[in-house]
Amino acid sequence: MRLKIALPVRLNEAESRYQISAPLIHALLALRVTPVLIYPQADIKDQLSGCDGVLISGGDDVDPLLFNDKPHPNTVIEKASIEQLDIDCIHYCEKYHLPLFGLCRGIQILAVVYHAALYQDIDQHMKTSHPLIIAPHSFLSGMPLPSVNSYHHQALAQCPEGFMISAIADDGTIEAIEKADMFAVQWHPELMRDDPLLRFFTDYVLAKKINKNQNREQR
């Protein structure tokens, strides 16, 4: 059973080309997933109706106006159309119980949608790696993740409403959150060798799809 995972696109600096991370596409294809690119200025329900899950990838910074703050000098705000696309995807997943996985910027916009604020410019998390402290009974429990990569200068200032913290860095930075069908991490699993997270998410989506089909058949 081949899955369809939706990926909201990104827009290049000149705003002339839609794009998505090549390593992420390659990682999903290796898991026998069909990536489906989702675009702004098109009906979100029509685009997501045939998809089994949504993956919100990295990108530029979340607009501080969304959490009632002024832009820091180092903040590079994501294009408004892409910002709204991510937000629309999150609301769709909430309404229709579609599994969602957020990576890097994905965890940040997810947190802001659920009323959390961000730190706009933190130290020592750009182009490095660090160990994780994983919460017991979280979705990360038991995964071989001695350390993760780090490519961000924005970070969650608090846990968003209704979520639990799944992992933190050794300096206390929130690195992963979860609730129901929503999972998000601050790092880039597609850039790590043998990282189990994309496999975890696709297995989760597959199990949910199988259960959904079985329930239909039993009606």
Side-chain angles (χ1 to χ4, degrees):
M1 185 181 295
R2 198 171 183 98
L3 298 174
K4 292 183 178 180
I5 301 293
L7 289 91
V9 296
R10 299 296 177 243
L11 192 57
N12 70 347
E13 188 173 347
E15 301 191 21
S16 61
R17 182 175 298 174
Y18 289 122
Q19 57 194 23
I20 202 72
S21 162
L24 184 55
I25 294 291
H26 295 158
L28 291 174
L29 291 174
L31 293 169
R32 296 188 56 78
V33 167
T34 299
V36 179
L37 301 188
I38 306 299
Y39 301 94
Q41 287 98 35
D43 186 85
I44 199 71
K45 187 173 182 179
D46 287 346
Q47 293 187 85
L48 292 179
S49 61
C51 295
D52 304 302
V54 173
L55 196 158
I56 298 179
S57 65
D60 287 332
D61 297 330
V62 175
D63 188 343
L65 292 177
L66 294 176
F67 49 96
N68 300 314
D69 203 356
K70 296 179 181 179
H72 185 278
N74 293 335
T75 298
V76 180
I77 298 173
E78 184 59 86
K79 285 54 168 195
S81 62
I82 301 302
E83 192 90 84
Q84 190 60 52
L85 178 63
D86 286 354
I87 292 170
D88 290 345
C89 285
I90 291 168
H91 287 316
Y92 182 96
C93 288
E94 175 77 23
K95 182 175 181 178
Y96 294 100
H97 307 288
L98 199 65
L100 181 145
F101 191 26
L103 309 180
C104 198
R105 172 192 158 77
I107 190 175
Q108 295 163 5
I109 188 61
L110 181 63
V112 169
V113 166
Y114 288 94
H115 314 298
L118 303 179
Y119 297 121
Q120 289 192 60
D121 193 52
I122 63 171
D123 294 329
Q124 301 178 343
H125 278 262
M126 181 59 74
K127 297 182 180 179
T128 186
S129 62
H130 59 75
L132 282 181
I133 301 170
I134 296 174
H137 311 299
S138 73
F139 77 99
L140 297 172
S141 295
M143 291 190 187
L145 288 167
S147 67
V148 295
N149 58 35
S150 192
Y151 295 95
H152 64 102
H153 76 120
Q154 284 194 332
L156 275 63
Q158 62 206 119
C159 186
E161 295 177 8
F163 286 76
M164 67 169 276
I165 296 174
S166 310
I168 61 172
D170 51 357
D171 65 359
T173 301
I174 296 173
E175 290 285 327
I177 58 174
E178 64 183 285
K179 82 160 187 174
D181 294 325
M182 294 184 173
F183 313 90
V185 300
Q186 187 59 78
W187 64 94
H188 287 267
E190 75 277 15
L191 300 179
M192 294 174 59
R193 180 177 293 180
D194 301 323
D195 185 283
L197 284 182
L198 291 175
R199 168 72 70 180
F200 159 80
F201 182 63
T202 55
D203 285 350
Y204 182 93
V205 173
L206 178 59
K208 181 154 187 173
K209 183 173 183 176
I210 290 171
N211 288 335
K212 186 176 181 180
N213 290 343
Q214 286 178 341
N215 290 336
R216 284 175 178 168
E217 292 172 359
Q218 292 171 1
R219 289 175 184 171

